[in-house]
Amino acid sequence: ETGVTQTPRHLVMGMTNKKSLKCEQHLGHNAMYWYKQSAKKPLELMFVYNFKEQTENNSVPSRFSPECPNSSHLFLHLHTLQPEDSALYLCASSPGRADTQYFGPGTRLTVL
Amino acid sequence: ILNVEQSPQSLHVQEGDSTNFTCSFPSSNFYALHWYRWETAKSPEALFVMTLNGDEKKKGRISATLNTKEGYSYLYIKGSQPEDSATYLCALNNAGNMLTFGGGTRLMVKP
């Protein structure tokens, strides 16, 4: 185990639903990340938070809304998603910028 | 947009074979190169972080080399075992804490 947990592990939602993905780390890290992996594509960075402040938004549509209430927790709020948003969503954390990132097991999201 | 390429995309080897695969990346503004091992249904696991040209790192039967001037890194596995079966990812860090990942090399080791 890497010390990064994600819930739920699997999620099926309709296009009109609102749901949230949760990530938690107990490693004392200051940076947290959301990544997306679609089928047959490389892992793609979505958002970066350093000390609870968002420092990167990699041109992600507004139907994905991140929240970092403290340095241990990271959320990804989802609303009015499209079927093409179905993917594996991975959370990661690192001690600081440019350090090794520790990944959670991911949430497999299916949008119907 | 950075282009991080990994080859081959997939590889089948027999138990006991040694193997290697490649990660190519743009050599400008290089900061660090990361290697991860990702088993199915598990979290990606960090193997190495390499920063200096000519760096060579080793972890058991797995080792990696780095050439920042020509923009490539090799990952070697000596005497492959079935438990080495996984996808091996490289990721380039060239600014702050953004990692750009390659598409991965999927290794399958047959007993």
Side-chain angles (χ1 to χ4, degrees):
Chain A
E1 294 300 323
T2 61
V4 180
T5 58
Q6 288 186 244
T7 54
R9 293 293 304 273
H10 300 271
L11 178 63
V12 179
M13 60 186 288
M15 288 190 284
T16 57
N17 291 157
K18 289 184 181 180
K19 295 285 183 185
S20 295
L21 308 185
K22 180 182 176 183
C23 175
E24 190 170 352
Q25 57 95 3
H26 298 287
L27 301 170
H29 291 170
N30 297 312
M32 295 188 78
Y33 313 80
W34 279 116
Y35 287 89
K36 174 185 178 183
Q37 183 166 48
S38 305
K40 304 196 184 215
K41 288 188 178 179
L43 266 176
E44 182 183 355
L45 180 68
M46 298 175 74
F47 301 104
V48 181
Y49 277 81
N50 272 306
F51 295 94
K52 301 186 295 178
E53 297 296 321
Q54 187 181 132
T55 56
E56 301 288 346
N57 175 337
N58 201 19
S59 304
V60 181
S62 59
R63 57 187 184 269
F64 295 91
S65 175
E67 180 191 0
C68 189
N70 55 62
S71 56
S72 299
H73 294 87
L74 185 65
F75 295 90
L76 188 63
H77 303 300
L78 315 171
H79 62 99
T80 58
L81 293 192
Q82 304 298 310
E84 58 264 30
D85 296 322
S86 298
L88 180 69
Y89 290 85
L90 285 165
C91 172
S93 70
S94 67
R97 294 161 63 102
D99 293 322
T100 295
Q101 295 183 17
Y102 295 80
F103 284 84
T107 295
R108 174 70 62 185
L109 174 67
T110 303
V111 182
L112 301 176
Chain B
I1 297 176
L2 295 175
N3 201 22
V4 179
E5 300 280 349
Q6 290 189 248
S7 63
Q9 283 189 346
S10 65
L11 191 56
H12 289 77
V13 301
Q14 208 65 38
E15 182 176 355
D17 288 349
S18 293
T19 187
N20 65 85
F21 18 95
T22 307
C23 174
S24 303
F25 52 86
S27 54
S28 57
N29 299 320
F30 176 88
Y31 186 85
L33 194 283
H34 298 242
W35 279 101
Y36 287 87
R37 179 173 178 271
W38 193 2
E39 285 183 74
T40 303
K42 293 189 177 179
S43 310
E45 173 197 355
L47 288 174
F48 307 113
V49 181
M50 309 177 79
T51 55
L52 298 175
N53 185 43
D55 243 358
E56 184 168 342
K57 300 246 173 147
K58 191 173 179 183
K59 188 176 182 178
R61 294 178 292 99
I62 305 177
S63 60
T65 60
L66 178 67
N67 184 322
T68 59
K69 292 184 178 178
E70 296 182 35
Y72 64 83
S73 176
Y74 293 136
L75 189 80
Y76 300 90
I77 302 179
K78 186 177 177 183
S80 303
Q81 300 297 308
E83 57 266 29
D84 295 328
S85 298
T87 296
Y88 291 83
L89 299 171
C90 71
L92 175 69
N93 182 330
N94 75 333
N97 50 4
M98 286 188 66
L99 289 184
T100 301
F101 280 84
T105 293
R106 188 176 174 209
L107 174 68
M108 285 151 282
V109 182
K110 299 175 190 175

